[in-house]
Amino acid sequence: MKQRSQPSNYEKIAFDIASRIVSGDLLVGSKISGRTKMSSEYNVSSETIRKALKLLELAYVVRVHPHSGVVIEDGQHAINYLNQRKAFMSV
């Protein structure tokens, strides 16, 4: 199976969001911007944002509440997420 040489946009965005959590720019327990606003901020489609948030949800970094927003769940999980993906993201 051929390995990808570059991370996808949604992987880059998920990594950025996790980095912002670890740095304290985004606080545990707070809501983050909606998909439409994030789409504009990152200049990508809403679907790309959805995929990024899904990665973070699967890693227990955020919790997605349909129709009411995305809440940052755990800073330690954000650190773990970053540590697991650092090598891949630096390609």
Side-chain angles (χ1 to χ4, degrees):
M1 180 182 285
K2 185 178 177 182
Q3 288 204 352
R4 295 181 293 149
S5 60
Q6 295 290 321
S8 66
N9 282 342
Y10 68 90
E11 290 167 322
K12 291 176 188 176
I13 292 167
F15 193 85
D16 182 62
I17 293 169
S19 296
R20 291 173 64 196
I21 293 167
V22 171
S23 74
D25 185 37
L26 298 172
L27 302 176
V28 172
S30 66
K31 284 188 178 181
I32 61 176
S33 301
R35 284 191 344 200
T36 303
K37 185 174 180 183
M38 290 177 73
S39 294
S40 295
E41 290 172 3
Y42 286 102
N43 198 29
V44 296
S45 70
S46 179
E47 180 63 15
T48 299
I49 298 298
R50 186 194 67 75
K51 288 179 179 180
L53 294 174
K54 188 63 177 176
L55 285 179
L56 295 174
E57 183 178 36
L58 291 171
Y60 303 103
V61 176
V62 302
R63 178 163 300 179
V64 178
H65 299 277
H67 308 291
S68 62
V70 178
V71 176
I72 299 167
E73 285 288 301
D74 192 299
Q76 185 59 50
H77 285 276
I79 291 168
N80 295 344
Y81 182 86
L82 292 176
N83 288 336
Q84 291 171 359
R85 286 158 180 77
K86 244 178 222 173
F88 175 63
M89 296 306 291
S90 64
V91 171

